[in-house]
Amino acid sequence: MLSYRHGFHAGNHADVLKHFVLIELLEYLGQKETAYTYVDTHSGAGLYSLDTGYAMKNAEFETGIAPLWERDDIPAALQPYLDLVKALNPSGKMRYYPGSPYCADQVMRAQDRLRLFELHPSEIKILSENFRKLEAHKAEQGERSTVRGKRIMINAGDGFDGLKALLPPPSRRGLVLIDPPYEVKDDYRRVKVCLEDALERFPTGMYAVWYPVLGRLESQQLPDRLKRLPAKDWLHVTLSISGPTPDGFGLHSSGMFILNPPWTLEARLREVMPYLVRVLGKDAGAKFVLEAGVPEPLKGRSQREGTDLRSGVRREGVGQPQRTNAQPPAGSTASPSPRGERSSRVAREAGGRPAGSGAAATGVKRSGTAPDRSSARPGRAPSTVKKRSF
């Protein structure tokens, strides 16, 4: 099926989550001088108009970028994302919204490489034209690449299949964004198959998957299936701006699942997600959930459990006050920490809780098994899970 056009959804709450996380991952990779490669398996048009065409039909940007546009209390971690979008609109009026390829191009350096895939025949033409204009503008400004090789390559084809030829990248540093339309159920299966192959070719790569949180079984099962992939560790965050509607229509929640995430991302999400719930939330069903952990035990590897770090639930009505940077409750282990400290924290929680950290004292809901539906299968050890609601 080639009916999906992202222009209808540009700038919505799901784009805010996806592009905030994407910019965080790219900026982390840019901290080292060595070049890296960014691969976008489903690039779309790369740039979207918000005041004409598709975007005006449902005005979904009113659920995402629009409520943030004039705010003067943006968290520091979210500011680079908003600055990038506003730089695309120098007049100050919200007219254009960047897709993932444009966000990546603006964050990445001259020595880094973009590899973009798009299958839709109309979208690939617009994507190519947008980048042609962008490169022409850079040339007019006197910007010339000093690095050999083509910085941006646009491929008209299936990103699931095309990714194989690009891994591992020459520098052995890279990020892959996978965000298919999910119009057909097979996309969910292909995401997992694609990542299994990618991790064999490039096990140290960083992989980010966007997906819609829907009532359909495939959407509900996807995170649990990704948690079992043989990456070093994973991070999972979802944002819901409202509870589900009675008719089941509309996108109210989406998620980002990152394999081999940077250790800095966890703390940045804890800073931003409560704010997004407060500003974008529509009703008492607005919430975010943040999890981090490692894959289930594989043969020859020791077991470690996945731990739910924080879930935030907006319980007030629209317009009522809500904490935007809630502190962890006393006795909790949700403070920012390096990767090594997080590992030791999981080990401590697995071994026993310190005094005063029980559910009555901290508001932590505890269950005996992890939410992974496969934990009851023979040969798979169950893991504990902790949830906090605000």
Side-chain angles (χ1 to χ4, degrees):
M1 292 178 65
L2 294 175
S3 60
Y4 180 84
R5 303 298 292 270
H6 188 70
F8 288 104
H9 316 288
N12 67 4
H13 60 90
D15 268 0
V16 171
L17 175 63
K18 176 171 62 176
H19 295 145
F20 161 63
V21 172
L22 174 63
I23 291 170
E24 285 293 317
L25 299 177
L26 293 170
E27 288 189 336
Y28 179 84
L29 287 171
Q31 293 177 9
K32 289 186 178 181
E33 186 176 352
T34 306
Y36 65 88
T37 298
Y38 166 73
V39 182
D40 196 326
T41 61
H42 298 78
S43 297
L47 188 66
Y48 305 94
S49 173
L50 298 181
D51 57 2
T52 60
Y54 298 135
M56 292 299 295
K57 183 173 182 179
N58 298 317
E60 290 191 21
F61 54 85
E62 296 290 352
T63 71
I65 187 61
L68 302 172
W69 194 254
E70 300 293 343
R71 303 283 303 196
D72 59 3
D73 59 346
I74 301 294
L78 188 61
Q79 194 64 54
Y81 158 75
L82 193 61
D83 288 344
L84 189 151
V85 181
K86 288 196 170 186
L88 184 59
N89 297 270
S91 68
K93 183 180 179 181
M94 190 178 63
R95 298 187 59 202
Y96 302 104
Y97 187 82
S100 301
Y102 184 91
C103 290
D105 176 71
Q106 295 302 295
V107 175
M108 296 170 71
R109 306 158 300 177
Q111 67 266 36
D112 302 322
R113 296 290 182 261
L114 288 81
R115 301 295 181 256
L116 311 176
F117 290 90
E118 178 54 47
L119 188 60
H120 196 290
S122 298
E123 296 284 78
I124 188 66
K125 291 179 181 178
I126 300 173
L127 177 66
S128 300
E129 181 64 12
N130 282 335
F131 270 91
R132 186 194 66 77
K133 292 178 180 178
L134 183 62
E135 292 299 304
H137 176 73
K138 289 181 179 180
E140 290 175 0
Q141 302 300 314
E143 296 183 29
R144 302 289 183 182
S145 177
T146 58
V147 181
R148 295 182 62 184
K150 197 168 184 178
R151 181 173 179 270
I152 302 173
M153 294 184 64
I154 299 175
N155 303 277
D158 189 328
F160 284 131
D161 295 332
L163 178 61
K164 298 177 182 180
L166 300 179
L167 300 179
S171 65
R172 300 302 194 271
R173 302 185 71 230
L175 166 65
V176 177
L177 174 64
I178 303 176
D179 60 335
Y182 298 100
E183 285 193 305
V184 294
K185 295 180 180 180
D186 197 46
D187 278 350
Y188 294 93
R189 180 192 65 82
R190 296 191 72 190
V191 166
K192 179 175 178 289
V193 171
C194 178
L195 285 168
E196 287 174 334
D197 180 81
L199 284 167
E200 287 187 7
R201 298 169 186 269
F202 185 33
T204 59
M206 197 181 298
Y207 302 90
V209 176
W210 177 88
Y211 73 100
V213 178
L214 304 172
R216 65 192 307 176
L217 184 61
E218 293 82 7
S219 173
Q220 297 295 319
Q221 290 179 338
L222 182 62
D224 289 341
R225 289 175 174 174
L226 299 185
K227 289 174 184 178
R228 296 195 293 270
L229 293 175
K232 183 171 60 175
D233 52 2
W234 53 261
L235 187 148
H236 179 217
V237 60
T238 63
L239 171 65
S240 303
I241 62 168
S242 69
T245 57
D247 59 14
F249 289 107
L251 178 65
H252 309 286
S253 181
S254 68
M256 287 290 285
F257 197 101
I258 300 93
L259 297 169
N260 299 327
W263 67 270
T264 55
L265 183 58
E266 175 189 319
R268 305 283 277 184
L269 286 166
R270 275 205 304 274
E271 178 184 352
V272 168
M273 297 308 295
Y275 178 84
L276 292 180
V277 169
R278 178 170 71 90
V279 175
L280 305 185
K282 301 297 183 183
D283 57 34
K287 65 179 180 178
F288 77 92
V289 176
L290 177 59
E291 300 177 287
V294 297
E296 290 188 16
L298 302 177
K299 185 175 181 180
R301 296 176 61 179
S302 60
Q303 177 179 0
R304 290 167 61 192
E305 63 181 288
T307 303
D308 184 357
L309 299 173
R310 171 74 61 88
S311 65
V313 179
R314 185 175 186 268
R315 298 191 182 281
E316 292 81 17
V318 175
Q320 294 184 353
Q322 166 78 6
R323 293 178 298 174
T324 60
N325 193 15
Q327 297 297 318
S332 74
T333 58
S335 58
S337 64
R339 190 185 302 275
E341 294 179 7
R342 184 170 68 183
S343 300
S344 62
R345 182 179 71 237
V346 173
R348 289 197 301 271
E349 290 292 335
R353 303 193 303 271
S357 64
T362 65
V364 177
K365 180 181 178 182
R366 304 180 184 276
S367 61
T369 60
D372 182 4
R373 296 182 180 86
S374 67
S375 59
R377 296 176 183 174
R380 292 193 181 276
S383 60
T384 59
V385 61
K386 298 180 289 299
K387 286 190 177 293
R388 301 184 178 91
S389 297
F390 294 84

